[in-house]
Amino acid sequence: MGKKEDRQLIGLRMRASEIKRRRHELDERYGRIDGICPICGKLIRKPKRGPTARFCSRSCRQTYAQRKQDAIDFKKNKSAELALDQLTKQGGDYRKRADGKRESTLNAHKEIKNVRKASRFSCMFQLKTILECKPELIEQATANGYVANLMRAIDQHGTQGDAERMLRHLGYTGPIPTGDK
């Protein structure tokens, strides 16, 4: 309120509400109300010089700054939570895919083991059949011949010496073909 208007009110016994009403009337008459505080909603008076203040008081300015910082922090936290959720979901997807690959690898290893086992039994059955039908083929076997290859396959899919042990168990007493001939 200017000095001239204050002089009009000096010496009058007026209530605070009356003074406030008269100031408001003067402000409207001279166009000095220039804005409203965005925090508390009070009217902001235009000063004689300089720009109109954005807030009615220091506490409103601080409240605004705190709310603005809280909004920035909320956005940061929200984006961090979204990123964490997305990474967690991707991690779960990767884990599921890795478990699927591991399971398929284990199944493939089981299949390979079963095929080797079947191949070993097949080779052992062929060697047994040769022993029962034509044992001279075992005695006359060459180093890279069919019988020597059968015996190597039996030993390869089992343990070393399985073919010889099987022949001896079945009663074969002749020479065992080796890779020397």
Side-chain angles (χ1 to χ4, degrees):
M1 191 177 254
K3 290 180 184 180
K4 200 174 203 181
E5 293 96 18
D6 285 342
R7 278 191 230 139
Q8 295 173 354
L9 304 176
I10 291 175
L12 300 176
R13 292 187 174 201
M14 299 171 83
R15 291 189 184 134
S17 60
E18 181 64 22
I19 293 172
K20 200 175 197 181
R21 185 184 62 74
R22 285 204 177 171
R23 281 185 177 164
H24 184 69
E25 288 172 0
L26 290 171
D27 287 339
E28 283 182 352
R29 184 183 313 155
Y30 296 114
R32 287 191 287 197
I33 300 296
D34 202 30
I36 297 175
C37 180
I39 301 299
C40 64
K42 287 184 182 177
L43 298 175
I44 300 174
R45 299 179 70 196
K46 173 142 177 65
K48 287 183 179 180
R49 292 186 194 148
T52 304
R54 192 161 168 208
F55 303 98
C56 67
S57 65
R58 182 182 300 162
S59 65
C60 285
R61 184 181 307 113
Q62 289 173 348
T63 302
Y64 177 81
Q66 185 62 44
R67 286 182 187 174
K68 188 175 180 181
Q69 187 60 45
D70 290 346
I72 290 169
D73 292 345
F74 177 77
K75 284 181 183 178
K76 283 182 184 177
N77 291 340
K78 192 66 173 172
S79 65
E81 287 175 12
L82 289 174
L84 180 63
D85 290 345
Q86 186 178 10
L87 290 173
T88 303
K89 184 179 177 185
Q90 285 177 350
D93 292 345
Y94 288 142
R95 170 55 54 201
K96 191 183 291 184
R97 287 174 40 197
D99 289 344
K101 295 281 186 190
R102 191 173 133 264
E103 188 175 330
S104 66
T105 302
L106 290 174
N107 289 339
H109 285 298
K110 286 179 186 176
E111 278 295 313
I112 290 170
K113 190 176 180 180
N114 289 338
V115 167
R116 284 183 179 164
K117 192 176 182 181
S119 174
R120 180 172 174 256
F121 284 134
S122 172
C123 292
M124 289 173 84
F125 185 71
Q126 288 178 43
L127 191 61
K128 181 182 175 191
T129 305
I130 290 171
L131 178 65
E132 290 172 355
C133 297
K134 289 193 173 193
E136 63 273 5
L137 290 176
I138 297 174
E139 292 172 8
Q140 300 166 358
T142 60
N144 288 324
Y146 186 75
V147 174
N149 286 337
L150 269 177
M151 291 181 71
R152 271 194 291 276
I154 292 169
D155 290 347
Q156 189 178 23
H157 295 303
T159 56
Q160 191 65 32
D162 279 350
E164 184 179 350
R165 279 191 294 279
M166 183 190 83
L167 288 174
R168 298 289 182 213
H169 179 74
L170 294 173
Y172 178 73
T173 55
I176 301 293
T178 60
D180 300 346
K181 293 183 183 178

